[in-house]
Amino acid sequence: MTVVGSAVHVNSPLRKIIHCDCDCFYASVEMRDDPSLRGRPLAVGGRPDQRGVIATCNYEARRYGIHSAMATAQAMKLCPQLLVIPPAMEKYRIASRQIMDIYRDYTELVEPLSLDEAYLDVSDSPHCKGSATLIAQEIRRRIFDTVGITASAGVAPNKFVAKIASDWNKPDGLFLVRPEEVDAFVAALPVKKLYGVGKVTAEKMHRLGLQTCADMRHWSIERLTEHFGSFGYRLYKLCRGIDERAVNTSRERKSISTEETYTPDVPNLDACLRLLPDLYEHLLARIKRNGAEKFINKLFVKIKFSDFQQTTVECIGYAPHIPTYARLMETGWARHSRPVRLLGVGVRLSDTETVEQLRLFDDALPAAIVEAVGDSSTD
């Protein structure tokens, strides 16, 4: 367990949030069931000859730069000795039910993010003398004893800090950030650690002289929104460690998206396409934050034109893909061919995981699977 140095910050001392998730979950279950797999690069995912992707991999594979959502063929180039096995979803679901039952033994306020990962609000939990740290330690021990795999946890006064803290001592670790320590902990974070900040946005921030959250605190809300649109307001709060989101026990989301309204209007298609990387990075962060990577079954683009006509175009797809979004954007823009006031990109979610179907896209998207959705006029 690690505890950071203290500094003063206003964060409710009454909230005790745990973010807990298992270490390389699918791969860990496979290594549990077949100990001979331990110590060698291992991934769970689709076949390289069928344009499959990696669902997860163990830490031996990660040392080669392999990560989830990477094309299996690319992963094999990085590590020719990589062993790739197909997902066994029923086995993972059984382990998931055991893990979620353990979480709910300590609080009813459990927000699942994926099969193994969740936020827990233990503010009023009577267990372990009310200590969130002791609860997190006990949960991790029970997961190991019951399921046979390791889990990491972060303990903090809010979801944002708890999520980051859970990654701090992976694998098989625990990291605690007390309320009075939040300010110093967040101030030192690189801006790329903020939710919604992907590679493109981080590079933009670096060009503007923003390396850490402490740097960002010198910027006003107005200046942040000038450079980052509506996302600027959230950045203003996150860089100060402020996150009022409650643990949400019902997560029946049908889609995840991000959109931006532009002033002045975006003049043409080429200008719209240049805005796509930023939207894409924000979308990836939201998908990750919601643990929805394995539930994606469609991609869509939303466009609102200067005359308030609105159109949405979507296609079948199991992972976000910039070239596909670009083609959807081209199709949507061609319907009215005029300046644009709002752009959005998103994914539709299924009720069950689609790991078995994960694929990369062809360079040429078959026109037959592109669908028009709800061409309309809005206020």
Side-chain angles (χ1 to χ4, degrees):
M1 182 181 73
T2 302
V3 180
V4 301
S6 63
V8 176
H9 180 72
V10 179
N11 236 317
S12 171
L14 300 178
R15 294 185 71 197
K16 300 176 183 178
I17 308 297
I18 300 172
H19 177 266
C20 191
D21 71 316
C22 297
D23 305 311
C24 49
F25 178 50
Y26 296 166
S28 291
V29 172
E30 297 297 342
M31 291 186 290
R32 175 200 69 185
D33 293 347
D34 184 356
S36 70
L37 299 175
R38 294 173 182 167
R40 60 181 297 185
L42 170 70
V44 176
R47 292 170 51 181
D49 59 340
Q50 295 183 352
R51 294 170 41 250
V53 303
I54 301 299
T56 191
C57 62
N58 64 6
Y59 284 90
E60 286 78 8
R62 294 181 191 189
R63 295 191 186 105
Y64 291 87
I66 298 168
H67 55 79
S68 61
M70 174 181 283
T72 305
Q74 181 183 355
M76 296 296 295
K77 290 180 181 178
L78 293 174
C79 178
Q81 66 269 37
L82 179 69
L83 174 63
V84 181
I85 58 180
M89 293 309 302
E90 185 53 36
K91 180 163 60 175
Y92 308 148
R93 290 188 183 102
I94 292 171
S96 173
R97 287 193 288 271
Q98 293 175 301
I99 293 164
M100 292 299 162
D101 286 344
I102 291 172
Y103 292 159
R104 293 189 176 96
D105 280 346
Y106 295 87
T107 176
E108 294 180 356
L109 299 176
V110 176
E111 179 179 342
L113 301 176
S114 64
L115 286 180
D116 63 298
E117 178 185 6
Y119 289 113
L120 291 74
D121 187 333
V122 296
S123 304
D124 299 317
S125 176
H127 299 276
C128 302
K129 301 179 181 179
S131 168
T133 304
L134 293 178
I135 290 173
Q137 288 175 330
E138 192 168 293
I139 285 173
R140 293 174 55 245
R141 184 178 67 252
R142 287 184 59 191
I143 289 174
F144 183 78
D145 292 343
T146 304
V147 188
I149 61 177
T150 61
S152 296
V155 180
N158 64 51
K159 292 164 71 172
F160 163 55
V161 178
K163 172 87 169 168
I164 293 176
S166 69
D167 284 334
W168 224 251
N169 277 340
K170 271 186 170 290
D172 193 20
L174 172 64
F175 196 91
L176 166 66
V177 185
R178 297 187 178 95
E180 67 272 16
E181 299 163 347
V182 168
D183 188 79
F185 177 73
V186 175
L189 290 177
V191 292
K192 66 180 181 181
K193 288 287 188 179
L194 295 174
Y195 291 145
V197 177
K199 182 179 179 181
V200 173
T201 304
E203 289 174 352
K204 178 179 179 180
M205 289 176 171
H206 294 162
R207 290 195 300 269
L208 293 168
L210 301 175
Q211 300 292 331
T212 67
C213 287
D215 297 331
M216 191 174 291
R217 291 178 185 180
H218 296 295
W219 283 39
S220 65
I221 292 179
E222 291 76 18
R223 190 178 181 190
L224 285 169
T225 54
E226 176 187 349
H227 287 276
F228 302 103
S230 59
F231 185 49
Y233 178 70
R234 180 149 179 78
L235 288 173
Y236 182 86
K237 298 176 73 175
L238 288 180
C239 74
R240 289 164 171 78
I242 300 171
D243 181 11
E244 299 97 348
R245 292 175 302 155
V247 169
N248 179 11
T249 58
S250 62
R251 299 187 56 83
E252 297 179 1
R253 299 194 66 156
K254 297 300 182 184
S255 66
I256 295 175
S257 64
T258 185
E259 60 185 43
E260 186 66 58
T261 300
Y262 300 96
T263 304
D265 295 337
V266 185
N268 52 45
L269 175 60
D270 286 343
C272 289
L273 293 172
R274 286 195 293 271
L275 296 168
L276 181 56
D278 265 346
L279 291 168
Y280 176 79
E281 292 290 340
H282 290 166
L283 177 64
L284 288 183
R286 290 190 176 184
I287 292 170
K288 183 177 181 180
R289 184 164 70 245
N290 285 277
E293 295 94 335
K294 305 177 185 70
F295 296 87
I296 298 168
N297 63 2
K298 285 187 178 181
L299 313 183
F300 69 86
V301 165
K302 172 183 174 183
I303 304 175
K304 185 184 290 185
F305 296 92
S306 56
D307 61 356
F308 291 94
Q309 290 291 316
Q310 179 174 303
T311 191
T312 302
V313 190
E314 64 183 41
C315 72
I316 296 169
Y318 303 105
H321 187 243
I322 281 189
T324 301
Y325 280 125
R327 289 190 285 272
L328 295 177
M329 191 172 287
E330 290 167 2
T331 300
W333 189 85
R335 292 174 181 166
H336 295 278
S337 302
R338 65 183 67 220
V340 170
R341 62 180 286 107
L342 178 146
L343 287 173
V345 296
V347 295
R348 310 285 185 203
L349 305 178
S350 65
D351 295 329
T352 57
E353 294 194 12
T354 55
V355 172
E356 299 95 328
Q357 307 174 60
L358 283 175
R359 299 290 249 252
L360 293 180
F361 290 87
D362 290 321
D363 288 336
L365 180 71
I369 69 171
V370 176
E371 307 170 0
V373 180
D375 218 14
S376 63
S377 176
T378 60
D379 293 330

